[in-house]
Amino acid sequence: MKKRILSGMRPTGPMHIGHLLGALKNWARLQDEYESFFMVADWHALMSEYEDPREIQNNIIEMVADWIGCGLDPEKCTIFVQSRVPEHLELCMILSDITPLSWLERCPTYKEQLREMNPALARKGGVKSRNLTTYGFLGYPVLQAADILVYKADTVPVGEDQLAHLELTREITRKFNNLYKKILVEPHPLLTKTPRILGLDNRKMSKSYGNYIAFKDEPAVIKKKVGSMITDPKRIRKTDKGHHDLCNVYSYYEIFNKPLTKEARDWCANAKKGCTECKAILADSLIDYLKDIRKKREELTSDKERILKILKEGSEKARGVASETIDEVKKAAGMA
Ligand code: TRP
């Protein structure tokens, strides 16, 4: 029997090259090896977007088009929407009852988000501030635990930033199994080495910083964005010799046009080409690299019905699995 994986993303904005390298390429590979569930975490999106949730539904459609554009195949994996499987919330409720507040309050992602989203710091970082001092947001990792446990997934492909949540999930699992009955499966994170990619402004690539290249970006937009990237700050004139190791544009060459890296180093070190030209060539490489994804996602977004059907079927399938777990869990916890 194949092992089961579950992973998810929040539909809070466009998918970009950071998601491709950090997760989606990996998901597309894993779907052949594992029984795979890929979840649109819309309840988790609402936790941060509750003040203005208007974009969520459209983001769901676009995100799923992007996933499929990157190679997820609804014939091979189950793509579903969290809120269409109400069993997540039932399990979340039971897990909330057994999770000590202190486990949630000490969670590093919680503390970090509260800090980053506070008005003063958010303004400084150019991020929209949000009031995340809510009951729901404190419980973010409990719902995430329920997402995983309700499928008894043994493996969870995630980025390093999610390891704390996985550890909490494991603690909650042990507590449940000790208190009631050994039903839930302790999941393992699956970290895959992925190239680190910085955003256009050399900060971490992130939706909230607006420093990304999205799959939906038109070629002209990609050219403009790449043109705005920061290069070696010591190379002021075109005739100055540059340092590729100080240049984010060069690090993109290593990912998106590996065959040209040697030349790019030479253009820079020996001032053979200026940064503008070097960026223009990179932009073309990126446009080419993303060409197929863009084509596929465009086909799909123009056929919204097809996406809705994929999500309907996926969510029904997911629900079948989740409801079996919930039956067992409720019995064990004295609720049935
Ligand atoms: N917290 C995850 C993120 O921000 C999204 C997520 C929600 C998730 N539920 C999950 C990831 C379950 C893996 C498993 O990326």
Side-chain angles (χ1 to χ4, degrees), residues 31 38 92 167 174 182 184 190 192 194 206 286 292 325:
Q31 68 183 341
F38 297 116
C92 182
E167 202 39 53
R174 290 193 288 268
K182 209 175 165 315
L184 301 178
L190 179 67
T192 317
T194 49
S206 152
L286 254 165
D292 295 339
T325 308

Side-chain angles (χ1 to χ4, degrees), residues 6-8 10 39 41 44 140 144 147-148 156 158 162 165:
L6 175 126
S7 198
R10 305 180 323 125
M39 175 186 76
H44 278 111
Y140 187 112
Q144 182 162 351
D147 296 336
I148 300 164
V156 184
V158 282
Q162 296 295 312
H165 292 165

Side-chain angles (χ1 to χ4, degrees), residues 17-228:
I17 54 179
H19 296 117
L20 176 66
L21 303 169
L24 293 170
K25 271 189 152 201
N26 217 5
W27 289 10
R29 196 171 47 77
L30 293 168
Q31 68 183 341
D32 293 315
E33 245 175 274
Y34 291 85
E35 185 192 348
S36 307
F37 290 84
F38 297 116
M39 175 186 76
V40 177
D42 57 345
W43 286 127
H44 278 111
L46 191 61
M47 285 178 188
S48 60
E49 310 305 304
Y50 65 91
E51 286 176 354
D52 183 6
R54 281 173 299 185
E55 298 287 314
I56 293 179
Q57 292 311 311
N58 188 48
N59 286 341
I60 293 176
I61 302 290
E62 300 253 338
M63 184 165 90
V64 171
D66 283 332
W67 286 2
I68 298 173
C70 290
L72 290 200
D73 178 354
E75 301 285 321
K76 293 187 189 164
C77 64
T78 306
I79 301 175
F80 72 98
V81 180
Q82 184 185 36
S83 68
R84 307 260 188 93
V85 185
E87 286 77 5
H88 288 239
L89 298 186
E90 287 192 86
L91 183 55
C92 182
M93 185 68 227
I94 296 174
L95 302 181
S96 299
D97 291 336
I98 69 170
T99 305
L101 265 181
S102 59
W103 292 6
L104 300 173
E105 284 163 347
R106 71 170 187 227
C107 184
T109 50
Y110 177 69
K111 291 192 288 194
E112 188 191 308
Q113 285 284 323
L114 280 197
R115 211 172 55 86
E116 269 197 26
M117 292 301 164
N118 101 3
L121 250 185
R123 213 174 308 119
K124 208 166 137 222
V127 177
K128 204 170 111 208
S129 80
R130 293 168 166 84
N131 184 349
L132 295 179
T133 53
T134 59
Y135 165 61
F137 191 68
L138 179 66
Y140 187 112
V142 185
L143 180 57
Q144 182 162 351
D147 296 336
I148 300 164
L149 298 174
V150 86
Y151 299 98
K152 300 189 179 177
D154 28 58
T155 308
V156 184
V158 282
E160 259 174 69
D161 61 318
Q162 296 295 312
L163 286 181
H165 292 165
L166 248 286
E167 202 39 53
L168 244 162
T169 301
R170 291 161 58 83
E171 278 182 280
I172 295 172
T173 310
R174 290 193 288 268
K175 179 138 188 208
F176 179 97
N177 286 346
N178 285 333
L179 268 175
Y180 303 123
K181 191 172 168 196
K182 209 175 165 315
I183 292 173
L184 301 178
V185 175
E186 256 186 72
H188 302 278
L190 179 67
L191 279 177
T192 317
K193 265 229 148 310
T194 49
R196 274 252 164 259
I197 184 166
L198 288 178
L200 303 169
D201 56 359
N202 289 4
R203 291 193 286 177
K204 174 179 175 248
M205 188 175 285
S206 152
K207 286 181 269 207
S208 37
Y209 295 151
N211 60 355
Y212 53 79
I213 291 172
F215 304 145
K216 69 168 189 196
D217 284 343
E218 309 268 346
V221 173
I222 296 186
K223 285 186 183 162
K224 193 155 167 247
K225 285 186 173 176
V226 173
S228 78

